[in-house]
Amino acid sequence: MASLKYQVLIEMRDNIIDYLEKEKGINEDALKAYEDGPIKDSTEEIKVMRERERIKLRDRIFELKRHIEVIKRMYPNE
């Protein structure tokens, strides 16, 4: 019985990790779009805005990676 409950937790863990991995991928794709290079004839204000957005995306990606690792360690495959 305990093994079955743990198996359900493992399945939930895997579903959560799959979701977070997809979110991380979306953020990584968005970051690539911002890092592809500067837009020609951009104003300084637009450059500053793009840099702020890059910083936010990098932070989100880092946080998602941390969450994924914590969840993996909470319920190891045993």
Side-chain angles (χ1 to χ4, degrees), residues 21-55:
E21 289 285 354
K22 288 177 185 172
E23 286 295 310
K24 184 172 71 93
I26 290 168
N27 282 290
E28 288 169 338
D29 291 343
L31 182 60
K32 284 179 192 172
Y34 279 100
E35 290 181 338
D36 279 345
I39 298 174
K40 283 187 171 182
D41 302 325
S42 318
T43 65
E44 192 60 34
E45 184 178 346
I46 291 173
K47 290 177 185 176
V48 169
M49 253 180 12
R50 289 175 63 84
E51 182 57 30
R52 284 183 184 153
E53 193 60 31
R54 280 194 289 267
I55 292 168

Side-chain angles (χ1 to χ4, degrees), residues 2-40:
S3 177
L4 181 62
K5 288 181 180 180
Y6 195 74
Q7 195 60 35
V8 170
L9 287 174
I10 296 296
E11 195 172 308
M12 286 174 43
R13 177 205 66 189
D14 291 344
N15 288 335
I16 292 168
I17 289 173
D18 287 343
Y19 169 76
L20 293 174
E21 289 285 354
K22 288 177 185 172
E23 286 295 310
K24 184 172 71 93
I26 290 168
N27 282 290
E28 288 169 338
D29 291 343
L31 182 60
K32 284 179 192 172
Y34 279 100
E35 290 181 338
D36 279 345
I39 298 174
K40 283 187 171 182

